[in-house]
Amino acid sequence: MTTRFLHSADWQLGKPFATVGDEVKRHRLQVERVQVIRRMAAVVAERALDFVVVAGDLFDSPHVTKATVSAACEAMGLMRVPVLVIPGNHDHGGPGSIWEQAFFLREREQLAPNLRVLLRGEPVVLEKAVVFPAPLLRRHEAGNPVAWVREAVDDAAVPGDLPRIVVAHGTVQGFGGMEDDEEGGAGVANWIDLASLPEGAVDYVALGDWHGTKQVGPVAWYSGTPEIDRFPKGESNDPGNVLVVEAGRGRVPVVEKVATGRFVWKREAFRFSDDASVELFAGRLDECIGERRDEHLLRLVLEGSLGIDAAGRLGRMLESWEARLARLKLEDRVMIAPSAEEIAQLTQRVEDPLIAAVAAALVGRCGGESEDAAVARLALRELYGRLS
Amino acid sequence: MRLHSLTVRNYRVHKEVTVGFDPSRTVIGGPNESGKSTLAEAAHRVLFLRAKTGGLLQREMQSSVHPGDPEVQLVFECGGVKWELEKRFGGNARGSTQLRGEGGVGLKDAEAETKLGELLGVETAGGGGAAGQLTQLWSHLWVWQGRSGEEPSEHTGPHRDRLVRHLQESGAGAVLQSSNDQRVAGLVAEAYDEVYTPNGKVRAGSKPEMARVKVEEAAAVVVRAREVAERLGRAVDDYGRADREIAEIGARLPKLREERAAVVVRLGDAERFRGEEMSLERAVKDAGVVRAGHEANDRVIREGLEKLGLLAAELAPAEERLVALVAAEAAAHGVAQAGEVAHREAGEAVRRARQGHDMASAAVVVFEKEEVLSGVAAREKEAAALHGQLEGLRLELAQLPAVAASELARLRRLEAESGQAVAALEAMATGVEVVETVEAVRVDGVVLGVGETRILTETGELVVGGGTRVRIRPGGGNSLAEARDRAEAARLGLVRALEASALRDVEHAGAVVERRQLLGHRMEGLEARWKTLGGEKVAGELGRATAERDAARGEWGRRVELMGESGGVGVVEDLAAARAMVEKVRDALGVAEGAEASALRQSERLRGQWDAAVAALSGHRDATAAARQNHRDLETAIRTLEEAHGEAGVRGAAIEAARASEGEAAARLEKVRSLLGGLQPEVLRADAERLERAIGAQEARLREAENLRLVAGDRLTLDGGTDPEAELRSAEARHAAASELMASEERRAAAVKLLHELFSSSREAIDRALVAPLAERIGGYLRCVFGADTEVRVALTEGGIEELQLVRAGETAVPFVGLSGGAREQTAAAVRLALAEILAADYGGCLPVVFDDAFAYADPERIESLQRMLDLAAVRGLQVIVLTCTPADYAGFGAREVRLAGR
């Protein structure tokens, strides 16, 4: 017998996106994490899938708000098929976790009766599959969460003809543990030892924690997060997908990657060689972002040096981009110092001896990386700005 | 520009005056009201006031004595050309201006005024606001009377721009900040003021301060959010820890409880054995008590019998001695009674002897008191006789007039005065004596016979016969009458004095005084004798002596009466006999008292012997009675014991039975104790306590853990309104953003501050370089006045030359306003000369400077040095014109001198 199901993980509903300053944009990012569930529901319906597994971190924390709980339950209720969820390190099932809160239990019952939270390491027999969940009951599990599966697969109560699916959350061979580089995290933990699973006894391992889509073994996959929530590291990172899996007992699973993400998170870096490169940079940005600017988030690192005027142009340009993009995270290392023409313009003012004297004094101080030099450069910009 | 000559006509006091100016130095002298200031004004107005100006300005120029419009003609040189300027100040209607350059075409009115303005480089004054404008025009060159000490900025402001231009031209690096400089500096200052207070502190409400406040607020939010999140974390930890502890205790507690139950069973056994042990201990003890009782009774009975035999042996000799002591006591009693009788008899003899002695002594006192009384009575009698004589003399004295010797002297003086007055009267009177007559002679109608004399003391009429009447006037004038009055007054004084003392005449008075003195002497003698006899006290003494005599008689009477009962001592005749009697009975009394003392001693000795016999008898009788009682008591006790415990054989059997019973109980006790020791009850009790304690502790820990889990579980049940972890991350992100903003604002504030400081310091440097030549010029003039070490500091501002300070050798800088009146005048003059010197470049290298009585406060010495300063100005090319009422003061100036005549 075969089964077809949707493998997803790391929804991290309720993520605050605290570093996004604009409240409206922050709200949009939060809402989109619920909207993607609706898009997944469409995939389930279109493909007539049997069930859904969420391999941990459905919520961003063990104490999300009621509003987040209600929105999540309502969206999952739309899937119409069983949704099997294990707690991950973000929403672990320890004492006081969201999974045992009365409000959650009530909302699940009323809005998502198809939702099943697996809080114990024991086989769950479905109509077309047996699921071996490895829930995290604390943020950091010391042992191998799937260790118990080795013996469980030999249990007589486990049907022999149904495909066996392990659901786990953690790190495998160095993957996973992808904490947010802006908001910090606990680093790598919850090591999953895939080798501990008896060879041939398991037909698919649905993994969560690594936010990009990644195959990490013959039958083991990270689905990645369905809606990207951070700036990706490295080219191989491939977030914003869900996996549609066809599994059968003793067969190699057929895995199809389906894109579900809306927001685009990008990294860019640019070094200014001269004042004219500001315009070059403008072209690069247009090219990089293209359409749907408000669905883009950009982490931008700028280096090099610019004259005061050019820096002013760059500033105005960045001001526009900051408003247009869903988020512009700027790491501005550009040294703004007057160009030779600007220095001449400031200091060689026969008609304005006072300004010239002040500018000459500032030019003398603005070299180097010290704070005093930075203040002097800023003072030069202030002075320059007041000339016109 | 240089003035050559000035002519005024019909101008105030002047009909027509012409003054020629020296090219460099001119002094115009003249007394007050000679029109010096008028000339300075005319020269100024011809240059700067348009001729057609009317109104008050025009009227005040008009002369009240010289008809016609005021006219002023000025010849001057400007730009290398000599100009003739002539103005008639006749208002709009008649006012006219003519300006003619040397070799050029003459200009009139408006053209002339325009040209003139060009030459002077100013807009000349005219029309409605002319009066206000006029005072400002070239006020730096015209030093009006009374305004020489004004601040330099008052008159340098309008020329600032040209001054700056020349200063910039004169100094290589000297520049002045531009308007753009000032604008930007102003913007920077505004930006600085927005951020900083005048003290350099960051201003409340400024951007950096607000950013800092926001950072603090954000930090506080982070702390709160972290506390909430940490509380949640702690609750999770608490819950897990409590859960684990509950499980551990749940495993440990049942085993402890089992151990405790086993110990409790063994403790029950031990307790039972312990009960038996105690019961047997009591049985052994009771058997021992019974045995000891039997043995003690037997011992007591046997010891009692032995003691009874001893008591009976001691009692017999005591009874014999008691009989002997009774006999001895009776004999001693009889002897003691005989001694007491003898003593009573001797005492009676003494009493009788003492009564006789007391009666004789009382008789002696009676006779002594009688003698005293008779002496006092005789003295009292003599004193009474003397007192009667005294009273008689006092009566006689009282009947005499109370005239003292002094009064007698006064009376005699009055009598003499009266005699003297009568004699004087008689000396003045006229005596009429009929020596021989035929006819009847009458004086004042009274016939005067022959040989009769009549003394007339006042005017009288003498008639002789029928036809002769003679008027006789004695004495002269009023003297006779005054003598008569004095004689009468003297007589009346004497008569009144005699009457006052009831005296007949002075002789009588003499007799009275004599008699009074005699009586006084006699009374003094009698009174002295009376007082010697006791005077008034003698009667009291007589009373007391009588009373004492009566008391002595009473005492004697009572003694006699007492003696009558037991026999008297005989009759006593007098004091000597009484005293002899006393001596006699005193001896008898001494003998009786000796006998009585001897009898007493004997009686007491016998009484003591009797008391000793009584005491010996009593003591022995009590001892014997006690011994008898002891014997009886012991006998009774032994009998009672034998009745209770039986005879000796019975008692021995009972003792043996008790000993057997005691041994049996002790053997049973030993067995029970052996069983109890095997159980170790102390160890069992310690185990029970230990286990109880351990179970209690575990139960308490269990309760605490359950409670902790309950509380932690309650904390973990969230309301779902917020996500503490999300809140913390948001708070941290906001704090980071606020910190970033604060850093940015602080850096910008630092940049603004740096800019502001650089603008300030650079501006000062520029200003110093610019004004240096001006300060040097002013200093050059002032060194002429104040000495070679004088320096000047000055600033050139929008208002002109300001912040002027004078620095003299070794002194601190003094601002212009801090200078004395004279120094202010001289300093202001130096500024004017320096300014004129610099500005002269625009007027062909020369400008006139007019001083109208401008050094009012200068002393003669300072005037001397002032001339040096004015001369320096002339040397430097200026035309100096001084108007003064004391031209002699400027003799050393070397100027052309023009003298105006007084009115």
Side-chain angles (χ1 to χ4, degrees):
Chain A
M1 183 177 285
T2 59
T3 183
R4 294 173 70 244
F5 65 94
L6 187 142
H7 167 201
S8 183
D10 301 294
W11 295 0
Q12 295 198 213
L13 302 175
K15 180 164 181 164
F17 294 102
T19 53
V20 179
D22 187 278
E23 191 175 345
V24 174
K25 291 175 179 178
R26 194 163 61 234
H27 180 67
R28 282 187 58 206
L29 290 167
Q30 289 169 333
V31 168
E32 198 57 41
R33 304 202 74 71
V34 178
Q35 290 300 325
V36 75
I37 302 172
R38 296 174 186 271
R39 292 197 286 278
M40 283 188 272
V43 173
V44 171
E46 283 169 12
R47 310 292 180 96
L49 302 178
D50 297 324
F51 59 92
V52 174
V53 292
V54 183
D57 285 357
L58 186 146
F59 291 117
D60 189 55
S61 90
H63 313 108
V64 290
T65 63
K66 287 178 178 173
T68 303
V69 167
S70 298
C73 287
E74 180 149 19
M76 286 188 284
L78 298 174
M79 291 184 160
R80 310 294 181 198
V81 296
V83 178
L84 284 74
V85 174
I86 63 163
N89 60 318
H90 272 265
D91 55 358
H92 62 83
S97 75
I98 189 66
W99 312 111
E100 62 184 29
Q101 299 285 336
F103 183 77
F104 169 78
L105 298 173
R106 206 165 56 239
E107 291 295 276
R108 186 192 65 176
E109 186 181 343
Q110 293 175 8
L111 301 176
N114 54 329
L115 171 61
R116 192 165 171 186
V117 182
L118 308 177
L119 293 171
R120 291 161 61 183
E122 60 185 20
V124 178
V125 180
L126 302 176
E127 187 183 348
K128 293 183 178 179
V130 181
V131 173
F132 294 81
L136 293 183
L137 300 183
R138 53 186 63 82
R139 188 178 285 274
H140 310 299
E141 284 289 357
N144 173 21
V146 298
W148 65 277
V149 178
R150 171 177 279 279
E151 292 182 5
V153 290
D154 296 330
D155 192 336
V158 175
D161 58 339
L162 297 181
R164 296 166 176 186
I165 300 162
V166 173
V167 185
H169 187 92
T171 304
V172 176
Q173 296 172 343
F175 285 98
M178 184 183 175
E179 291 299 336
D180 196 312
D181 56 357
E182 281 189 298
E183 296 168 2
V188 177
N190 305 318
W191 288 89
I192 297 167
D193 184 7
L194 291 178
S196 69
L197 298 173
E199 195 172 346
V202 173
D203 301 306
Y204 184 77
V205 181
L207 294 170
D209 199 23
W210 177 248
H211 282 213
T213 304
K214 182 86 179 171
Q215 183 176 9
V216 291
V219 297
W221 288 74
Y222 281 104
S223 64
T225 179
E227 178 64 45
I228 185 169
D229 62 339
R230 62 195 62 173
F231 295 107
K233 287 178 179 171
E235 293 297 322
S236 61
N237 201 301
D238 181 19
N241 307 302
V242 295
L243 297 178
V244 175
V245 182
E246 181 178 323
R249 181 69 197 98
R251 288 171 47 185
V252 176
V254 179
V255 178
E256 180 191 356
K257 184 174 78 176
V258 178
T260 50
R262 179 182 296 277
F263 279 93
V264 183
W265 296 61
K266 286 190 172 176
R267 288 174 181 261
E268 274 294 322
F270 193 88
R271 172 174 284 279
F272 295 100
S273 53
D274 53 31
D275 288 1
S277 58
V278 171
E279 280 65 38
L280 190 65
F281 167 67
R284 272 276 299 277
L285 268 188
D286 284 335
E287 189 182 327
C288 167
I289 302 299
E291 301 297 322
R292 293 169 52 214
R293 292 184 184 88
D294 63 340
E295 291 178 358
H296 277 73
L297 295 91
L298 179 65
R299 178 165 190 172
L300 186 59
V301 179
L302 297 179
E303 293 177 307
S305 64
L306 287 174
I308 296 172
D309 218 25
R313 295 204 302 280
L314 174 64
R316 290 188 287 278
M317 189 190 306
L318 292 174
E319 187 182 11
S320 294
W321 277 109
E322 187 170 18
R324 293 171 193 163
L325 294 170
R327 186 186 176 202
L328 173 63
K329 184 186 180 190
L330 179 63
E331 193 173 329
D332 189 355
R333 301 177 196 156
V334 178
M335 179 185 281
I336 300 165
S339 63
E341 295 79 24
E342 286 167 341
I343 289 176
Q345 198 181 337
L346 280 163
T347 57
Q348 295 173 16
R349 303 176 74 89
V350 180
E351 73 282 11
D352 300 324
L354 182 55
I355 293 171
V358 170
L362 288 173
V363 167
R365 296 180 182 204
C366 72
E369 298 297 322
S370 69
E371 178 61 19
D372 284 350
V375 168
R377 287 196 292 273
L378 185 56
L380 265 178
R381 289 176 65 186
E382 293 281 338
L383 177 60
Y384 191 82
R386 286 176 169 81
L387 290 181
S388 54
Chain B
M1 183 184 183
R2 207 179 293 273
L3 306 184
H4 284 225
S5 68
L6 174 73
T7 301
V8 297
R9 294 185 199 90
N10 306 327
Y11 196 111
R12 296 192 192 255
V13 300
H14 298 295
K15 170 67 176 166
E16 179 168 348
V17 172
T18 296
V19 176
F21 298 105
D22 182 79
S24 300
R25 306 166 185 84
T26 304
V27 172
I28 301 173
N32 292 332
E33 298 190 348
S34 62
K36 299 187 299 296
S37 298
T38 301
L39 289 180
E41 178 192 279
H44 187 259
R45 289 196 175 180
V46 76
L47 286 169
F48 300 105
L49 182 66
R50 289 181 206 143
K52 288 185 178 298
T53 304
L56 182 61
L57 281 175
Q58 193 266 335
R59 284 198 298 279
E60 69 187 14
M61 287 186 281
Q62 285 178 333
S63 174
S64 58
V65 292
H66 310 300
D69 292 325
E71 291 176 17
V72 183
Q73 188 179 2
L74 180 71
V75 180
F76 64 94
E77 183 188 326
C78 188
V81 178
K82 188 174 179 183
W83 298 87
E84 282 186 20
L85 171 64
E86 186 170 353
K87 284 189 181 179
R88 173 197 288 268
F89 292 101
N92 193 39
R94 296 186 304 280
S96 67
T97 303
Q98 289 185 24
L99 179 66
R100 190 166 42 251
E102 192 175 32
V105 183
L107 300 172
K108 287 189 176 178
D109 295 333
E111 281 184 347
E113 296 282 7
T114 302
K115 181 62 182 176
L116 182 59
E118 288 173 6
L119 289 174
L120 297 172
V122 296
E123 183 82 11
T124 53
Q133 299 163 12
L134 198 56
T135 56
Q136 301 297 319
L137 293 169
W138 281 32
S139 58
H140 57 305
L141 302 179
W142 254 260
V143 189
W144 301 109
Q145 194 175 22
R147 298 184 61 182
S148 54
E150 288 179 349
E151 280 256 26
S153 61
E154 294 285 324
H155 49 80
T156 56
H159 312 287
R160 175 191 165 281
D161 293 344
R162 281 197 293 143
L163 178 60
V164 167
R165 181 163 52 80
H166 287 294
L167 287 172
Q168 285 179 319
E169 288 167 3
S170 65
V175 288
L176 184 71
Q177 44 184 300
S178 66
S179 59
N180 198 31
D181 279 335
Q182 291 175 351
R183 182 185 65 79
V184 173
L187 290 173
V188 169
E190 279 175 22
Y192 179 83
D193 289 342
E194 280 176 15
V195 178
Y196 295 100
T197 65
N199 297 330
K201 299 274 170 54
V202 176
R203 197 181 283 281
S206 64
K207 284 183 177 177
E209 179 60 12
M210 288 173 72
R212 190 191 62 75
V213 170
K214 279 195 180 349
V215 168
E216 282 184 1
E217 291 171 354
V221 173
V222 168
V223 169
R224 285 198 296 275
R226 189 168 289 142
E227 280 174 5
V228 171
E230 286 174 356
R231 218 163 31 236
L232 203 60
R234 280 198 299 276
V236 171
D237 294 345
D238 289 349
Y239 192 96
R241 196 171 61 250
D243 219 24
R244 286 192 297 278
E245 190 148 335
I246 287 166
E248 285 171 15
I249 296 168
R252 199 177 298 139
L253 207 50
K255 183 170 173 292
L256 289 172
R257 284 176 178 151
E258 274 176 28
E259 284 180 30
R260 184 179 62 176
V263 168
V264 166
V265 169
R266 296 185 70 195
L267 262 179
D269 292 344
E271 197 59 33
R272 187 161 47 76
F273 286 139
R274 178 67 187 151
E276 284 181 24
E277 181 191 31
M278 286 170 69
S279 172
L280 286 169
E281 280 173 348
R282 276 197 300 276
V284 169
K285 188 177 175 186
D286 290 348
V289 168
V290 169
R291 174 189 50 75
H294 288 308
E295 286 174 348
N297 290 332
D298 182 58
R299 189 169 58 250
V300 167
I301 290 167
R302 278 190 282 110
E303 287 172 355
L305 287 172
E306 284 175 17
K307 193 174 179 184
L308 194 61
L310 290 174
L311 285 176
E314 289 171 359
L315 195 56
E319 293 284 3
E320 287 171 6
R321 187 163 177 255
L322 182 62
V323 172
L325 285 174
V326 167
E329 188 272 339
H333 186 216
V335 174
Q337 281 180 332
E340 278 181 10
V341 169
H343 176 239
R344 273 199 300 273
E345 286 169 351
E348 185 59 27
V350 168
R351 190 183 64 79
R352 279 197 304 272
R354 188 171 288 129
Q355 281 177 341
H357 178 263
D358 290 347
M359 190 203 70
S361 298
V364 169
V365 172
V366 169
F367 286 119
E368 284 172 352
K369 294 296 179 186
E370 286 284 3
E371 269 185 16
V372 171
L373 178 60
S374 99
V376 172
R379 197 151 41 90
E380 195 271 341
K381 190 176 177 184
E382 188 180 357
L386 286 174
H387 192 261
Q389 289 175 19
L390 262 175
E391 287 303 310
L393 291 175
R394 279 195 189 104
L395 185 61
E396 187 183 350
L397 187 64
Q399 287 168 349
L400 289 173
V403 182
S406 59
E407 183 63 15
L408 177 62
R410 190 172 75 92
L411 289 172
R412 283 182 174 148
R413 194 176 63 249
L414 288 172
E415 186 184 40
E417 284 171 4
S418 179
Q420 286 166 358
V422 169
L425 178 63
E426 287 174 351
M428 282 183 189
T430 301
V432 178
E433 184 179 1
V434 179
V435 181
E436 192 177 298
T437 188
V438 189
E439 296 174 299
V441 177
R442 291 183 181 87
V443 177
D444 289 339
V446 178
V447 177
L448 193 65
V450 175
E452 285 183 345
T453 301
R454 179 77 178 272
I455 301 299
L456 292 176
T457 59
E458 50 191 36
T459 304
E461 196 175 55
L462 177 68
V463 179
V464 181
T468 303
R469 291 173 63 207
V470 179
R471 180 156 299 184
I472 299 170
R473 285 190 181 91
N478 294 327
S479 301
L480 181 62
E482 287 171 3
R484 192 170 57 238
D485 291 345
R486 275 197 299 273
E488 184 59 22
R491 188 188 63 79
L492 277 174
L494 177 62
V495 169
R496 283 174 189 145
L498 289 170
E499 284 175 352
S501 299
L503 294 170
R504 292 187 303 277
D505 50 27
V506 174
E507 189 181 353
H508 179 210
V512 167
V513 168
E514 190 180 351
R515 182 62 187 164
R516 286 183 72 91
Q517 286 173 343
L518 180 63
L519 286 174
H521 291 313
R522 288 180 61 192
M523 282 168 70
E524 282 173 9
L526 287 173
E527 191 154 356
R529 284 177 58 200
W530 181 67
K531 284 184 179 172
T532 305
L533 291 171
E536 290 173 347
K537 294 177 185 171
V538 72
E541 287 178 24
L542 183 63
R544 281 195 297 277
T546 305
E548 285 174 4
R549 192 271 320 268
D550 292 346
R553 279 182 179 171
E555 179 65 20
W556 181 74
R558 281 191 297 281
R559 295 286 175 189
V560 169
E561 193 176 352
L562 194 63
M563 279 297 291
E565 295 172 359
S566 58
V569 291
V571 177
V572 183
E573 295 296 333
D574 54 19
L575 179 60
R579 283 178 176 161
M581 180 64 71
V582 167
E583 291 299 319
K584 185 182 168 189
V585 295
R586 183 181 291 150
D587 293 341
L589 178 60
V591 172
E593 283 175 346
E596 194 262 347
S598 175
L600 176 62
R601 281 193 299 276
Q602 177 66 16
S603 173
E604 285 173 348
R605 188 176 60 78
L606 294 173
R607 176 80 189 181
Q609 287 172 354
W610 179 46
D611 288 346
V614 168
L617 175 61
S618 174
H620 190 71
R621 185 180 283 145
D622 292 347
T624 306
R628 282 193 211 109
Q629 187 60 40
N630 282 345
H631 186 264
R632 279 196 298 276
D633 290 348
L634 188 56
E635 224 172 22
T636 305
I638 290 168
R639 203 160 35 246
T640 304
L641 284 170
E642 282 179 338
E643 283 171 2
H645 303 294
E647 295 298 323
V650 175
R651 294 203 298 273
I655 287 169
E656 283 307 313
R659 283 178 180 158
S661 178
E662 185 183 12
E664 187 185 346
R668 283 174 61 201
L669 176 61
E670 190 62 29
K671 187 181 175 189
V672 168
R673 279 179 174 162
S674 170
L675 290 171
L676 193 57
L679 282 174
Q680 289 186 293
E682 286 74 20
V683 175
L684 284 177
R685 270 193 294 277
D687 282 349
E689 283 176 13
R690 175 176 55 78
L691 289 166
E692 195 65 37
R693 207 166 48 240
I695 289 167
Q698 291 298 319
E699 285 174 343
R701 281 181 63 198
L702 182 63
R703 281 194 300 276
E704 281 178 16
E706 285 171 345
N707 194 39
L708 181 63
R709 187 169 66 176
L710 201 65
V711 170
D714 192 45
R715 282 198 205 139
L716 290 169
T717 306
L718 303 174
D719 66 357
T722 57
D723 178 350
E725 291 181 15
E727 291 289 319
L728 175 57
R729 273 188 279 167
S730 298
E732 286 171 341
R734 282 195 293 275
H735 180 252
S739 298
E740 197 177 328
L741 178 65
M742 181 179 77
S744 167
E745 289 295 344
E746 285 180 344
R747 181 179 282 183
R748 184 179 172 276
V752 168
K753 187 177 187 181
L754 176 60
L755 265 182
H756 182 63
E757 288 169 353
L758 287 174
F759 265 100
S760 299
S761 58
S762 301
R763 181 159 53 192
E764 284 173 13
I766 288 172
D767 288 349
R768 276 198 302 277
L770 183 69
V771 299
L774 174 63
E776 181 49 38
R777 277 189 171 83
I778 299 171
Y781 286 115
L782 288 178
R783 280 191 278 277
C784 297
V785 179
F786 298 116
D789 293 328
T790 306
E791 285 184 17
V792 167
R793 292 177 193 163
V794 71
L796 193 53
T797 67
E798 293 293 331
I801 296 171
E802 289 187 325
E803 300 169 26
L804 185 73
Q805 290 183 316
L806 193 61
V807 188
R808 282 184 269 193
E811 295 179 14
T812 54
V814 182
F816 181 81
V817 293
L819 296 170
S820 68
R824 270 209 300 274
E825 285 178 350
Q826 293 137 25
T827 304
V831 173
R832 289 171 189 276
L833 292 171
L835 182 61
E837 192 186 326
I838 292 169
L839 297 180
D842 293 337
Y843 300 90
C846 178
L847 276 172
V849 184
V850 180
F851 293 97
D852 181 10
D853 266 336
F855 303 107
Y857 291 104
D859 55 35
E861 189 181 340
R862 192 57 66 77
I863 289 283
E864 283 290 320
S865 52
L866 266 173
Q867 293 176 41
R868 197 178 304 135
M869 180 174 83
L870 296 174
D871 187 57
L872 177 63
V875 169
R876 288 179 172 181
L878 295 176
Q879 183 184 28
V880 179
I881 300 169
V882 177
L883 297 99
T884 175
C885 55
T886 56
D889 289 348
Y890 294 88
F893 184 27
R896 174 194 288 183
E897 189 174 323
V898 178
R899 289 289 179 113
L900 298 179
R903 294 180 68 184

